Amino acid sequence: MKVLKVSPHIYKLESWFLLKMSAWIVRDDDGVYIVDTGMEFMGKRILKEAEKLGKLKGILLTHGHSDHVGGLKKILDVKKVPVYVHKHEIKYMEGKEPFPGRKKAQSLVPPGLVQPPEESDGGALKNIGNLIPFHTPGHVVYYHEKDRVLISGDLFTSKKGQLKPPIAMFTANMEEAIESARIVKQLNPHIVSICHGDDVEEPHKQIDKYLAQI
Ligand SMILES: [Zn+2]
């Protein structure tokens, strides 16, 4: 597993299993958060790297697909910490309904294990540590304001420094997914950090072209 420093507070852990698989560790004032947990075989190592940097305070998920929640059990077997994902994803992860675009329901976590981030009165998701969650359809992305890094999970892939659409096989509604990239215009991050690809710097320079695909 490769450990890359994305920014002063954010580390990306990269593995390969047919394609690049990543998870993130985000340092806070008094501990660390893990964002996504990769495949099952990545869980132990993610926890080890996280604990080198501080006390684990919680786990945040961008969405419920198995390549993002696979390592969860291995981590929770050792550390009991809260796990957060958007409320809309929980029914799919618990196997109550199939993920959009899939035929069969798949139970990936026991009921009650994963909780939604708190919401303010206006419905916006409250910060978890220094990360601001933003919900896009089928996804949560996490923005670190100080480092200006957008942890984007599967919202994009990339090629040679260019933002590319998410993997079609794992994307229920491609038009909606591309439209969700508008969040980059709103937040203007310095870096978009990508699960199944290399990170992209200064994404504002290419976001209009990206959005013009639809
Ligand atoms: Zn993925």
Side-chain angles (χ1 to χ4, degrees):
M1 191 179 272
K2 215 155 80 176
V3 183
L4 304 169
K5 190 164 184 178
V6 178
S7 65
H9 297 92
I10 302 177
Y11 295 80
K12 188 183 183 192
L13 309 178
E14 287 184 349
S15 274
W16 275 87
F17 185 82
L18 304 175
L19 70 165
K20 187 178 285 191
M21 302 272 173
S22 310
W24 294 266
I25 300 168
V26 181
R27 269 181 30 214
D28 220 342
D29 302 333
D30 57 348
V32 298
Y33 288 94
I34 290 171
V35 181
D36 282 351
T37 63
M39 311 275 290
E40 191 184 349
F41 75 91
M42 294 165 67
K44 258 190 176 167
R45 179 74 192 277
I46 293 170
L47 178 61
K48 196 175 142 202
E49 293 298 333
E51 290 193 311
K52 279 187 201 168
L53 295 165
K55 182 177 177 283
L56 182 63
K57 289 162 64 178
I59 300 170
L60 285 60
L61 300 170
T62 57
H63 62 298
H65 283 170
S66 56
D67 56 320
H68 297 253
V69 307
L72 196 54
K73 188 174 179 299
K74 287 268 192 293
I75 297 172
L76 294 176
D77 281 349
V78 184
K79 284 278 160 201
K80 298 277 174 273
V81 291
V83 185
Y84 302 97
V85 76
H86 194 269
K87 60 183 177 190
H88 293 325
E89 285 285 301
I90 294 177
K91 58 183 180 291
Y92 309 130
M93 293 176 65
E94 292 182 349
K96 291 187 179 121
E97 282 179 36
F99 281 100
R102 298 209 180 158
K103 286 196 184 96
K104 273 189 186 164
Q106 192 187 7
S107 171
L108 295 164
V109 295
L113 184 81
V114 180
Q115 53 184 294
E118 268 182 67
E119 285 180 26
S120 64
D121 293 340
L125 305 174
K126 285 192 183 170
N127 291 13
I128 303 171
N130 286 322
L131 292 169
I132 314 171
F134 290 91
H135 180 239
T136 62
H139 223 88
V140 186
V141 295
Y142 297 96
Y143 188 52
H144 195 288
E145 209 164 23
K146 205 167 175 192
D147 290 7
R148 291 186 56 211
V149 173
L150 182 67
I151 297 177
S152 69
D154 282 4
L155 198 59
F156 300 101
T157 55
S158 68
K159 202 172 179 183
K160 295 182 178 153
Q162 296 297 305
L163 293 171
K164 296 286 172 195
I167 300 167
M169 204 173 105
F170 303 134
T171 306
N173 183 333
M174 187 55 83
E175 204 167 301
E176 203 173 58
I178 292 174
E179 183 59 30
S180 301
R182 216 166 271 285
I183 190 90
V184 168
K185 281 178 89 96
Q186 183 190 332
L187 300 172
N188 195 18
H190 170 51
I191 295 171
V192 169
S193 199
I194 292 171
C195 180
H196 304 298
D198 291 334
D199 295 352
V200 172
E201 290 187 17
E202 306 304 341
H204 62 94
K205 289 182 182 165
Q206 43 172 303
I207 195 64
D208 284 328
K209 196 174 138 210
Y210 180 89
L211 288 165
Q213 292 175 88
I214 46 167

